[in-house]
Amino acid sequence: MDVATADEDDPFEEQRENAEDPMRRLFVEYGGENRRAFAVGLLSSVVARVLDLMPPVLLALAVDSIFYDERPFSIPLVPEAWLPATRTGQLYLSAGLIAFAFFGGAAFHWTRNWGWNSFAQHIQHAIRTDTYDKMQRLNMDFFADKQTGEMMSILSNDVNRLERFLNDGMNSAFRLGVMVVGIAAILLYWNWQLAIVTLGVVPLIAYFTYRFIKTIQPKYAEVRSSVGQVNSRLENNLGGVQVIKTSNTEDFESERVEDVSQGYFDANWDAIGTRIKFFPALRVMAGIGFVLTFVLGGAWVLTYQATGSAPLFFSGELTPGQFVGFILFTQRFIWPMAQFGQIINMYQRAYASSARLFGLMDEPSRIAEDPDADELVVSDGRVVYDDVTFGYDEDEPIVEDVSFEVDGGETLALVGPTGAGKSTVLKLLLRMYDVDEGRIAIDDQDLRDVTIPSLRERVGYVSQDTFLFYGTVAENITYGTFDATREEIVEAAKMAEAHDFISNLPEGYDTEVGERGVKLSGGQRQRISIARAILKDPEILVLDEATSDVDTETEMLIQRSLDELTEDRTTFAIAHRLSTIKDADTIVVLEGGRIVERGSHEDLLDEDGLYAHLWGVQAGEIDELPDEFVERAARRQARIEATDD
Ligand code: ADP
């Protein structure tokens, strides 16, 4: 049986197939550091269980020697001379030992739970943080391929399943293991013939439980998947409630929610139907074992006492104490057998989960950092793109043969229709992706030869998607420059024209921005991220539509501060409004991933090509781009989308 596929889809099937047993790896890589907790858990499980088994044994002995004269009062390993001679004395001693077993048992139950919990908690903490650490360092194309929900599920559900197995699963496995072996040994020792009757139902129960797990598992998978559908539907609808209202689609959405909710109901009802039959059936089997033991054992005691021989096909003696012991153990033994199925189930889920976690940890990185990489040293800030070609999909280049040079302190603007590859060109400078061909260098250092942190430290990036983190305005401005003082923050905000609106917020710089900054407008978020870049004070600045979300008036204000900011700094700018970049030292015009024009604003106007036409449209001089440009852009986009599929 392939246990790893017993669970839902495995997004890392490929890596998993080549990997060693993930559970083994889990214990090797994470168990070692926690071996003390493991040892405490394991030893305590054994001792606690042995102590648990003592009272019924002592009771059986007491019945035979104190209440009936079946055998002399004796305790293994203790010399007879030390034992009390009177029956009352023997009773007190037995009671004392039983009390000792209970209290000692309690102490070991405690250390046992401490051990397993500590083992599970440390491992889940370590594996979650390791996986997260690895995940956020993976390339951007990894995140483009996988859904956030899928990643969240690995970091939360899979880690939680491992934790459950390491804690409850291991705990129960050892508890049950010791109990089954211990009780079977005692019963067989007392009376192997009756023991066979009693233990006879065990394989039956084990098989039945196993069948049950096999039947219910796919049903539970169905339940989980339908819960997922309900959640995504609800999340989507609550997030898009404004669109629902304005589109008047409340009834339509209510129906869609009802549909997925009905799906969950049906899946759950199916699983419930199977589950509620299981325990009664188990009770019947346990009952058969119990009744058989009781009838046959009882008849044996009576017959033996009356005739001195065993009934039916049995032979030898069964004492009343042993009979009591059998009944007590049968009670304790059969019922928890049902847990074996659960343990197997937990193990299978943990196996699949750790396969997914390790699959993620083994995910190869397309951007591999050279182990001998040096820190980037920016002296001048000169950036060179040399015949750069790159595609998200290696077969379909998005930028081709792009070459340009920007001297330290100069500004280069990238212009071109949407989809021309402008953002892509700049993402390559931050090494979000590596070039497929050609090279990019800063002050003659190839980006692939420098460490990624040192590169991103010196290149500041303000993009069109301004993502703010949950936290205060000040925390968002200092994000990445954590040691800034309040004065520096305010100074940066003033330069980004953000100080005024921040001061008007209820708690000024300490106002919470809400999840993803929802409490702020797009323009306000953008100004905060500009302040963030100003505070970081990088040698090279990348402005990817940095002012796209602000109104013209604010844009002019920010532009003034950006001019100041970019004055002595190598700057790359993409701007929707060409007026904001017309003073750039060089303007590079991209079309279909290739540079089609370059020069200053005036040069390009004289050239009367794409730039001049774009400018004409924005200045209101011509109504629209000539068809040839529009058609070329549309053809290219269609081609890219076709390769994406
Ligand atoms: P621009 O900034 O000029 O609008 P982009 O560089 O954003 O252009 O995009 C260029 C092309 O690359 C577009 O066709 C876009 O669909 C595609 N593209 C952008 N990002 C990705 C990505 N992460 N994965 C695959 N294709 C992408």
Side-chain angles (χ1 to χ4, degrees), residues 140-141 143-145 390-393 396-399 414-427 433 464 544-545 574 590 593 633 636-638 640-641 644:
M140 290 305 294
D141 44 1
F143 293 95
D145 290 349
F390 166 79
Y392 295 98
D393 182 339
E396 177 62 43
I398 296 288
V399 295
L414 287 166
V415 172
T418 306
K422 304 179 296 288
S423 298
T424 307
V425 166
L426 295 189
K427 282 182 192 153
Y433 305 90
Q464 48 198 333
D544 185 350
E545 303 251 16
I574 299 175
L590 278 181
R636 171 175 141 95
Q637 192 57 36
I640 292 172
E641 276 159 18
D644 278 358

Side-chain angles (χ1 to χ4, degrees), residues 544-555:
D544 185 350
E545 303 251 16
T547 55
S548 64
D549 262 350
V550 297
D551 54 76
T552 323
E553 209 175 309
T554 318
E555 182 172 21

Side-chain angles (χ1 to χ4, degrees), residues 320-545:
Q322 286 167 345
F323 175 60
V324 170
F326 259 89
I327 293 299
L328 289 177
F329 278 135
T330 311
Q331 278 279 39
R332 281 179 166 215
F333 184 52
I334 292 177
W335 198 238
M337 280 303 296
Q339 275 188 1
F340 263 125
Q342 270 171 357
I343 296 173
I344 294 174
N345 189 19
M346 270 194 233
Y347 176 80
Q348 289 183 344
R349 287 156 152 266
Y351 188 102
S353 291
S354 56
R356 267 194 291 269
L357 282 158
F358 285 122
L360 182 61
M361 287 201 208
D362 295 343
E363 175 83 6
S365 198
R366 210 170 128 194
I367 296 181
E369 188 165 290
D370 180 355
D372 302 324
D374 293 320
E375 296 264 300
L376 172 71
V377 182
V378 181
S379 46
D380 212 19
R382 187 180 137 83
V383 177
V384 175
Y385 274 57
D386 199 1
D387 268 338
V388 169
T389 294
F390 166 79
Y392 295 98
D393 182 339
E394 278 168 71
D395 305 331
E396 177 62 43
I398 296 288
V399 295
E400 274 177 274
D401 301 327
V402 166
S403 297
F404 54 72
E405 295 173 17
V406 192
D407 280 335
E410 301 225 312
T411 296
L412 178 126
L414 287 166
V415 172
T418 306
K422 304 179 296 288
S423 298
T424 307
V425 166
L426 295 189
K427 282 182 192 153
L428 295 174
L429 184 62
L430 280 136
R431 249 189 119 188
M432 301 302 247
Y433 305 90
D434 267 343
V435 297
D436 293 330
E437 286 167 38
R439 118 188 229 273
I440 303 175
I442 298 177
D443 286 336
D444 278 337
Q445 299 152 88
D446 190 315
L447 295 192
R448 285 165 296 195
D449 298 335
V450 299
T451 64
I452 293 173
S454 71
L455 170 70
R456 297 199 184 139
E457 175 80 40
R458 285 170 188 84
V459 183
Y461 182 68
V462 183
S463 81
Q464 48 198 333
D465 326 306
T466 42
F467 184 95
L468 298 189
F469 288 92
Y470 195 90
T472 65
V473 171
E475 281 163 359
N476 269 291
I477 295 180
T478 51
Y479 191 79
T481 324
F482 298 105
D483 54 358
T485 63
R486 186 49 68 98
E487 285 71 37
E488 290 167 336
I489 297 174
V490 174
E491 189 56 33
K494 280 184 177 160
M495 279 181 75
E497 295 297 334
H499 179 71
D500 287 347
F501 89 78
I502 296 174
S503 307
N504 284 332
L505 293 172
E507 287 167 64
Y509 283 81
D510 298 315
T511 309
E512 294 280 344
V513 298
E515 201 167 329
R516 294 169 175 235
V518 285
K519 293 187 190 163
L520 301 176
S521 75
Q524 290 173 333
R525 288 203 295 269
Q526 208 152 22
R527 277 177 276 168
I528 287 182
S529 74
I530 292 173
R532 190 189 283 168
I534 292 174
L535 193 61
K536 184 172 165 189
D537 196 19
E539 281 96 341
I540 296 167
L541 192 62
V542 173
L543 305 172
D544 185 350
E545 303 251 16

